[in-house]
Amino acid sequence: LKSILAVHGNSTVEGVSFVSAALAFNRNVKPFDNVWVRRGVAYAINRATATKIGESTSGTASDATTGMVSKVNDLYLKGAHLNDYAYSPSKAAECFSKAVLKKVDGIWRTTDGKPLTVNIQVANGFSDWVAAGKSITSDLTAVGVSSQLNTSADYATYLSDLAQGKFPVAFWLVALGPDAYNAYQRVYGTSNGWTASGSGAVHSAAGKN
C-alpha cells in the first residue's frame, strides 16, 4: 500500500467492508458443547490486537459478534444490549471455572484431567486468518489454554472438511453483505445446516444433507 501511495496521483478511498471472520465452535465436540467454555475463549481473545495484526490497514474489530459488521449492527440492532466480550483474562477464568474446569500448574484442565485444548483451523494462503489466528493462539496460551494454529492445504479442502464437521474450532466467514438476510444465513441458515420447512426450520448435523 505504501508503494502504491508513493506514486504521484494515487490515493485511497475508504468504505465499509461487509465481510468479517469469527471463530466457529463444533458443539458436537466436547468441551465446546459447554457455553461457559465458549464464553471463556471469547473473553481470552484480544480482538483489537488480532484485528490489527490480521488486517492492519483496514480492519475494525466488531463491537459484538452477531454475524454482521459493527456498522450494520448499528442499523439493525440499535439499542439492543449485546455482550461485547471485551478482552478480560479474569472473566475468562470465571467462565472456565463455571465450566467446571480446574487450573493446575497454570493449565486449565477438564474433569478428566486433560488440558483444555483450543486448536484453530485456517485455510493455507489466507495470510490475514493465519496472522490473526496466531495472535489468538498466543492469547489463549497466555491464560493457560493449550492452543495452536492448524492449516488446511487449500480453501477447497478447508471448506469440505469444515462441512464434514472435522474441526473442533475454525475460522468462519460471516457478514457477507449489508443486509441481515445474507449475514444471518451464515449463522442461522443453510450455511450452518438450517433449512426452511413449512412454518419452521429443520437442522442437519455437519456432514449430513
Side-chain angles (χ1 to χ4, degrees):
L1 179 62
K2 290 180 180 178
S3 297
I4 293 171
L5 293 179
V7 176
H8 179 71
N10 286 352
S11 62
T12 61
V13 177
E14 294 186 2
V16 178
S17 174
F18 296 113
V19 68
S20 182
L23 284 188
F25 297 92
N26 185 342
R27 290 186 291 170
N28 291 319
V29 177
K30 290 185 177 300
F32 303 118
D33 58 337
N34 189 319
V35 67
W36 291 108
V37 171
R38 302 194 302 271
R39 288 178 179 177
V41 170
Y43 279 121
I45 297 171
N46 189 326
R47 284 180 287 166
T49 299
T51 303
K52 184 177 180 180
I53 292 172
E55 293 289 356
S56 58
T57 300
S58 59
T60 303
S62 295
D63 295 330
T65 302
T66 63
M68 298 187 292
V69 294
S70 292
K71 289 285 187 182
V72 182
N73 281 340
D74 294 342
L75 295 174
Y76 286 100
L77 303 174
K78 193 172 185 178
H81 175 70
L82 302 172
N83 193 336
D84 60 8
Y85 291 101
Y87 176 58
S88 175
S90 62
K91 286 186 178 181
E94 291 176 11
C95 291
F96 290 148
S97 294
K98 289 181 179 180
V100 199
L101 302 177
K102 291 186 177 180
K103 201 169 190 179
V104 181
D105 297 329
I107 302 297
W108 285 102
R109 297 182 181 275
T110 57
T111 53
D112 58 5
K114 295 180 179 179
L116 172 62
T117 301
V118 183
N119 293 334
I120 300 171
Q121 193 77 26
V122 297
N124 187 36
F126 282 42
S127 59
D128 51 351
W129 288 15
V130 172
K134 287 181 178 178
S135 173
I136 292 170
T137 58
S138 294
D139 288 339
L140 293 172
T141 301
V143 299
V145 176
S146 176
S147 182
Q148 68 179 31
L149 194 73
N150 296 327
T151 56
S152 299
D154 52 58
Y155 190 51
T157 302
Y158 170 83
L159 288 179
S160 176
D161 289 344
L162 187 70
Q164 294 297 319
K166 293 184 179 181
F167 309 134
V169 183
F171 265 47
W172 181 233
L173 202 63
V174 293
L176 297 184
D179 64 284
Y181 177 83
N182 286 333
Y184 282 152
Q185 79 86 13
R186 298 289 292 178
V187 182
Y188 309 111
T190 54
S191 290
N192 199 23
W194 291 97
T195 305
S197 178
S199 61
V202 176
H203 187 260
S204 297
K208 303 293 183 181
N209 302 322

